[in-house]
Amino acid sequence: MSLNAPLRVQRKSVPWQEIDGQAIILSPKTNKAHELNASATLLWHLMEQARTLDEMAKKMTDEFEIDLVSACRDVESILERFVEEGLVEYQ
Amino acid sequence: MSINSLTHYSVIDNLRMKSIHQAVPLQASLELTYRCNERCTHCYIDNFSDAPNKTLSKENWFLVLQKLRDAGTLYLILMGGEAMLNPYFWEILECAREMHFHISMITNGLKIQTSETAKKLHDGGLHLATISLYSLDPLIHDEMTAVQGSHVKTMKAIELLREQGIEVHINCLLTRQNIEHHFDLVEWCVQKKLPMKEDVSVTPKMNGDLSTVNLRATEKQLLWYYTEKARRWPPSIPPLLVEPAEDYVCNVAKGKCAVNPYGELLGCIEVRESFGSLVTEPFGTLWNSPTALKWRNLRLKDLKGMKSPTLGGHFCEHCFGMALHESGDPLVLTPESQKLASVKESIYYDHGNND
Ligand SMILES: C[S@@+](CC[C@H](N)C(=O)[O-])C[C@H]1O[C@@H](n2cnc3c(N)ncnc32)[C@H](O)[C@@H]1O
C-alpha cells in the first residue's frame, strides 16, 4: 500500500441490529449501546466494506440534502465516536 | 448526524419497549437440542433425547438464524438441553457471530473444561455465559443435577470462561432443596462480582407432567427467604406492580420468541404451543398466525380467579405458559402464583413502604 493512499475504515464484527431504519450497535469494549439516526445508520452500512472518508461523504450527499463540505465534517465527527467506542478499524 | 449513546440501559430499555409494542422478536431462545449431560430433578424437559427424524441439519439451523435476523432479533440465547451437545454447535455459533447477533448461552458448563474450549467460545463470538449453579455446597448441587461431580465441573467452567474475558452470570432456580442455603451462594457471587438471577417458579414439565412442582419451595421457606432477603438487602422488597391490571402484558410472542430443536417457532420457552416450522414457513406467516395472535393478545385483566382490584393482584407475576400446563387454561390464576403473591404482599407490609 502506498504511504499516500487514503485511509480506509471498516466496521468491526460487533453485535448490531436495525429496527425501524435505525441501527442499534452494542459495543463489547465499553459495554454501551448506541442508537444511530438514519444518516449514521447509512454510514454503518457503508462500512461493511472498507471505505475512504471521501467515498462515504460523497454517498451522504447522494442520499441526503447536504453539501460535500458538511458531509465530510459529519462523517469525520461520527467516525471519531465510532473509534472511541471500538466499533471500527482503520486499514 | 447523531449517535445516541445513552447508557446501555436507556437505549436497551427504549428498544425493549419498542420491540414489545411492535412485536419485534428482539430476543430469541434457541433450544439446540433436548439432549443433556445432567438429569436435573426439577427440569421441565420430559425426555432428554431428540427424535432423529426431526432434528435440523446445520443448513436448516443457518436458515433459522437468517430468518430471526431478518425479523429483528438482536439477542440470541443458545440453550437446550445442553446446547453444546448439538453436533453442529460450533458451526451454529460461527454463523450467529457472522450475522452479528449478541450471543449468550445458558449452560451447566460441563463441556467447558479446558482453556482451549473457553477460548474457542470467546473467539466464536460468545458474549455471555449464564451458568446454572444451584448451591455452593457440592452435595446439594449434585443432588439437584443428579450428576456426581457436576459441581466441581461447573465451578471450573466459571473460572475458565472468565479467564477468557467472557461475561459470566449465575442462574439459580430455588427449590425446597437449595433455598435455605441460598445466601451462601449470594455472598460468594457478590464477592466474585458475578451477577446472579434467582427464580422461585418451578414450572411443570413440557408434557404437562406436574411432578416437578412438588419441588417448589414451601410457603414457609418462601416467607423465610423473602424476609431474610429484605433484611439483608432492603431494595429487594417486592415492589407493587405499577401497571394497572388492564395494561399489564406479558412479552410472549411480542419482544421475544423461542425455537425448539425441531425448528418450530414458539412464543417463548414456557409456552410450548408451536406456531409452525420456521424451516419451511416465512417468519411473518408464523408470527402473525392465529396461534401467535392468541398468545400475544392475552391480557392480565382477563385472568380468572383474581380478586382484582385487591392488592394481592399487584404482586402477582402470572405466567400464561405455566398456567396452561397447570390448569389447562392460560388465564386461570394458579394456586402457586397466588401463594407467591401473598408471600410478597406480606413482606411488603412487614418490611416495605406501607404508607
Ligand atoms: C433447561 S436448562 C438448559 C440449559 C443447561 N442445560 C443448564 O443446565 O443451564 C435452562 C435453565 O432452566 C432452568 N430450569 C430447568 N427446569 C426448570 C423448571 N422446571 N422451572 C424453572 N426453571 C427451570 C435451569 O435451572 C436452567 O437455568
Side-chain angles (χ1 to χ4, degrees), chain B residues 251-306:
Chain B
N251 204 357
V252 56
K254 295 189 190 78
K256 70 176 177 184
C257 70
V259 181
N260 73 14
Y262 309 139
E264 290 169 321
L265 184 66
L266 314 174
C268 82
I269 285 288
E270 276 85 18
V271 172
R272 306 300 306 187
E273 189 175 8
S274 165
F275 300 169
S277 167
L278 200 45
V279 174
T280 54
E281 301 297 322
F283 184 93
T285 307
L286 304 180
W287 198 236
N288 297 310
S289 63
T291 312
L293 295 179
K294 175 185 79 183
W295 286 100
R296 189 172 303 148
N297 293 331
L298 290 174
R299 293 289 179 274
L300 195 69
K301 71 174 166 51
D302 301 325
L303 276 188
K304 300 163 190 163
M306 168 120 87

Side-chain angles (χ1 to χ4, degrees), chain B residues 106-135:
Chain B
I106 305 180
T107 175
N108 56 37
L110 264 55
K111 294 279 285 175
I112 310 165
Q113 295 302 305
T114 63
S115 12
E116 288 73 35
T117 308
K119 182 170 187 318
K120 206 168 159 191
L121 285 168
H122 174 268
D123 297 347
L126 185 71
H127 298 103
L128 167 66
T130 300
I131 304 271
S132 303
L133 177 65
Y134 299 106
S135 177

Side-chain angles (χ1 to χ4, degrees), chain B residues 179-208:
Chain B
I179 194 165
E180 289 170 25
H181 301 263
H182 184 56
F183 291 104
D184 295 345
L185 180 59
V186 173
E187 277 169 20
W188 181 78
C189 286
V190 169
Q191 193 195 330
K192 290 259 177 194
K193 297 195 170 65
L194 282 166
M196 182 177 56
K197 203 174 138 246
E198 56 230 337
D199 183 8
V200 295
S201 301
V202 182
T203 60
K205 286 186 184 285
M206 296 180 338
N207 64 357

Side-chain angles (χ1 to χ4, degrees), chain B residues 31 35-38 40 42-45 48 78-83 106-109 130-134 171-173 199-205 212 269-270:
Chain B
E31 293 181 316
R35 293 169 58 212
C36 197
N37 40 14
E38 288 185 335
C40 297
H42 52 262
C43 192
Y44 56 76
I45 294 175
F48 297 100
L78 306 180
M79 57 186 297
E82 186 55 36
I106 305 180
T107 175
N108 56 37
T130 300
I131 304 271
S132 303
L133 177 65
Y134 299 106
N171 231 18
C172 183
L173 181 69
D199 183 8
V200 295
S201 301
V202 182
T203 60
K205 286 186 184 285
T212 52
I269 285 288
E270 276 85 18

Side-chain angles (χ1 to χ4, degrees), chain B residues 56-98:
Chain B
L56 300 195
S57 64
K58 76 174 166 225
E59 289 74 19
N60 279 341
W61 275 117
F62 297 166
L63 185 63
V64 165
L65 289 177
Q66 187 61 59
K67 289 187 181 183
L68 290 171
R69 177 78 198 167
D70 294 345
T73 300
L74 173 59
Y75 295 98
L76 200 66
I77 304 174
L78 306 180
M79 57 186 297
E82 186 55 36
M84 292 179 77
L85 293 176
N86 181 304
Y88 312 119
F89 173 79
W90 295 105
E91 286 106 317
I92 294 168
L93 181 66
E94 174 68 12
C95 178
R97 188 181 65 86
E98 281 170 8

